[in-house]
Amino acid sequence: MNPFLALVYGLVGGSFINALLWRIPKNKNITFDRSECIKCGHKLGFLDLIPVLSFIFLLGKCRYCGKKISWQYPLIEIVSGLGLYFLALKFNGLEFAWLAGIFLLSVFIFVYDLKNLIILNGSVFIGVLWVSLGLWFFKINNFENNILTAFVIFSFFFCLYFFSKGRWVGGGDAKLGLLLGLWLGWPMGLVGLLFAYILGSIVGIPLLIFRLVSLKSKIPFGPFLIIGAWIAFLWGQKIIEWYTNILLS
């Protein structure tokens, strides 16, 4: 896959993610409704919707009302573009397309959970179908391993959710754990889970120390699961080898 073409696909995908993030909470049609300025409601034209470039040329302001456009829009487009660019450096063809779909869905779930404190059932359902299709198509060895890993991670989070009555984790985290476990399998699913908790501690403990949040505050865990999963996918084998060498030395 040409990395620069993948970059363009990622920028366009990021723009679509931005549209979903705004339309879904407002119950707007994601297919037929035209994009509009969230401040003045003016319908946007083609020149207003070019990923990243429109934000730069318009100096971060709406062409019609002059109010500032959130940095969320170019940031998500850039992350999506760079993510697909770097995937294209390592993967080709249908495998790239499969992983690109997982990455863009990951970005959507990450930001939606961060903004709304919820992981949509629909996003998890689409993810499970997409991951299962790829695992079947590429004829991954020991597919049962992935299913078992998904069940174990789901059960772990579900028990935390059930016994804490939703105070420790949300039900969406259990469903996301199922999706990520199905994708990564064993032992990468465990590596991803471990890094999710490490990253959660790195972020959460300082927030508690400086009283920016309290023990009763709701902090979305989905973004940490997403980051942990991609760390496990990209570098998990090297991390396991490094840790094994330390134990044996």
Side-chain angles (χ1 to χ4, degrees):
M1 181 65 186
N2 184 297
F4 292 101
L5 186 59
L7 174 66
V8 174
Y9 288 152
L11 291 172
V12 174
S15 180
F16 181 65
I17 290 171
N18 278 322
L20 293 178
L21 291 170
W22 184 74
R23 294 183 186 191
I24 290 177
K26 297 182 180 296
N27 294 318
K28 287 184 172 290
N29 191 294
I30 63 175
T31 304
F32 300 106
D33 285 350
R34 286 183 57 189
S35 297
E36 59 187 53
C37 173
I38 63 174
K39 301 292 179 59
C40 66
H42 196 287
K43 302 299 182 182
L44 301 180
F46 174 77
L47 295 179
D48 304 312
L49 297 172
I50 302 174
V52 180
L53 294 180
S54 291
F55 184 86
I56 295 174
F57 293 149
L58 296 173
L59 301 178
K61 296 180 180 180
C62 173
R63 180 196 305 272
Y64 309 100
C65 66
K67 293 183 179 179
K68 291 184 178 180
I69 302 172
S70 171
W71 276 91
Q72 167 196 310
Y73 295 97
L75 183 59
I76 289 176
E77 292 165 355
I78 291 171
V79 169
S80 300
L82 290 179
L84 266 58
Y85 173 86
F86 286 112
L87 282 176
L89 295 176
K90 189 174 182 179
F91 303 97
N92 293 303
L94 292 176
E95 187 177 15
F96 164 79
W98 181 56
L99 292 172
I102 295 175
F103 182 81
L104 293 176
L105 181 63
S106 298
V107 173
F108 171 78
I109 294 174
F110 182 107
V111 181
Y112 199 93
D113 191 26
L114 195 63
K115 289 172 65 70
N116 302 290
L117 299 177
I118 188 172
I119 296 172
L120 298 175
N121 290 334
S123 63
V124 175
F125 179 73
I126 291 172
V128 168
L129 287 180
W130 184 252
V131 167
S132 299
L133 179 64
L135 294 176
W136 169 80
F137 183 83
F138 295 113
K139 295 180 174 59
I140 186 171
N141 295 326
N142 198 9
F143 181 55
E144 296 80 4
N145 169 37
N146 292 64
I147 296 176
L148 180 60
T149 303
F151 175 75
V152 169
I153 296 178
F154 172 81
S155 299
F156 169 73
F157 280 115
F158 181 79
C159 288
L160 291 178
Y161 172 78
F162 180 79
F163 289 110
S164 71
K165 296 181 179 180
R167 292 192 298 271
W168 298 342
V169 296
D173 297 324
K175 288 174 280 191
L176 180 58
L178 183 146
L179 168 59
L180 298 178
L182 180 65
W183 171 40
L184 295 173
W186 184 269
M188 296 308 165
L190 178 62
V191 174
L193 186 61
L194 176 63
F195 271 93
Y197 273 99
I198 290 174
L199 293 170
S201 299
I202 291 174
V203 173
I205 291 175
L207 291 177
L208 288 171
I209 291 175
F210 293 105
R211 297 183 179 180
L212 297 175
V213 298
S214 69
L215 291 174
K216 295 183 179 180
S217 300
K218 290 185 177 181
I219 300 177
F221 194 58
F224 300 114
L225 285 171
I226 294 291
I227 297 175
W230 278 98
I231 289 175
F233 175 75
L234 294 172
W235 303 291
Q237 189 59 46
K238 292 183 179 179
I239 292 170
I240 291 174
E241 292 173 358
W242 169 77
Y243 184 70
T244 302
N245 289 334
I246 291 178
L247 291 179
L248 296 176
S249 62

